Amino acid sequence: MGRVIIKNTTVLTLDSQDSFFYPGFVEIKNDRIWKVGQWSDDIDLDEKDGDTLIIDGRDRLVMPGMVDLHFHTSIAKGFNDDLPLWEYLDEVWYPAVRAVTPETAKVAALYSYIQAVKTGTTAVNDMYRHLPSLAAAAEQVGLRAVLSNDVALPEHRLDTVEDNVAAFQQVHGAADGRVKVWMGIEWLPLADMDLLKQVAQAKRELKTGLHLHLCESRSEIADCAKKLGGKRPVEAAYEAGLLGPDTVAAHCVHLSDEEIELLARTGTHVSINSGSNAKLGNGIARLQDLAAAGVNCGMGVDACECHNSFDMFEEMKITSYVQRGLHEDPALGRPSQMLRMATRNGAVALGIDAGTIEPGRKADLAILDLKKDMMFTPLLKAPLDARRKQLESHLVFGCNGTAVETVIVDGKIIVQDRKVLGVDEDQIREQMDSIFGEIVADMERKKMVRSKQ
């Protein structure tokens, strides 16, 4: 599609000036936003150009696509949901991810990416396994994906530094540049300092980024102290050369003041994962202190096993609510901050030229139905600033991803009328049921073998 015009609509740009247009229009040429502005019946947009798709945006909202800054392809959603983090990892997550093959990983990624894009996410930072399979799934669905391996020590039977480097060489830059490969570290308790330094060296040599978990739980910090010479996770990551402006650290719940300062000084980005942290009983991140220190904070849903939903609208709501509840202050977690964390901040962290609706930016957009289930009712028509603030409130506190009608990535429509183009959703659903049934049966067989030993 060479040119797309969305006219007579509401445009929430989330740019630095809080530009807001109602009625407005967005013009896309190839993969970029060309024009954004006020719309009227007499504006000349050369709509009769034969290579132009016109979308009537009446009763619609155009906003930047979401960037899920900490994501794992899912295969075991809704299984043993009442376990704390370490027990869950040991009994569900690791057995499941060890069991996936390149073929089943692609099905799981297709399922996960379908769920993400249907709720308005246009880019994911996905740490998982079998990255070429994930890259193929991302290309088929059409979203952006930054992929990294589950690198850990060999005894944990996950991925190696060599696996991650091979994946970089094979699929970095695939899907017309929509797929990037970063280095990944599962988490520090499954590593030692030598492995951390190997990952840092590979990252430097490849000139790529890094995705890792830091300070997710109190038990993680205690385990690191035992295994890494008394060091806390952030300190160990810093000494190994892992922190910096091309690193995304997920969770960062249990931070000291010194660690916050270190993250800020190194320019490390943080993904806040409030839904996952709450569900697993791990605590609430120090978002206010991180933001005050100047740390760029985005957000992510984590694994669907840890949140049971890939819906970033839900993640915005949960993040705002837990911050207000923790600090007993309803002025915190403002909708404008949550929306920027879910879009612009994530794009900055991943080096994606998107996250706002401005001329020259990548055309990664979501179009929402403002009539959907009265989620956006009531809604003022004027004054414009009041309409914008009310829309932001509805988006964060009263909306969910089912309001998303159309998704555009790189100027191409990948979701239309709430359907992902080019993917058989029913087939993927059936395949996922079958795959997970086999994985659970395998888990039970291995449990029986261990119990007899």
Side-chain angles (χ1 to χ4, degrees), residues 251-269:
H251 298 292
C252 295
V253 175
H254 301 285
L255 297 174
S256 67
D257 292 344
E258 293 76 19
E259 287 172 317
I260 290 176
E261 190 277 332
L262 192 55
L263 292 170
R265 177 156 50 89
T266 57
T268 302
H269 309 277

Side-chain angles (χ1 to χ4, degrees), residues 35 58 119 134 181 207 227 261 318 402 419 433:
K35 291 180 184 177
R58 186 185 305 272
T119 52
L134 273 57
V181 175
K207 295 182 174 60
K227 297 177 181 179
E261 190 277 332
I318 293 169
T402 64
K419 292 181 175 61
D433 284 347

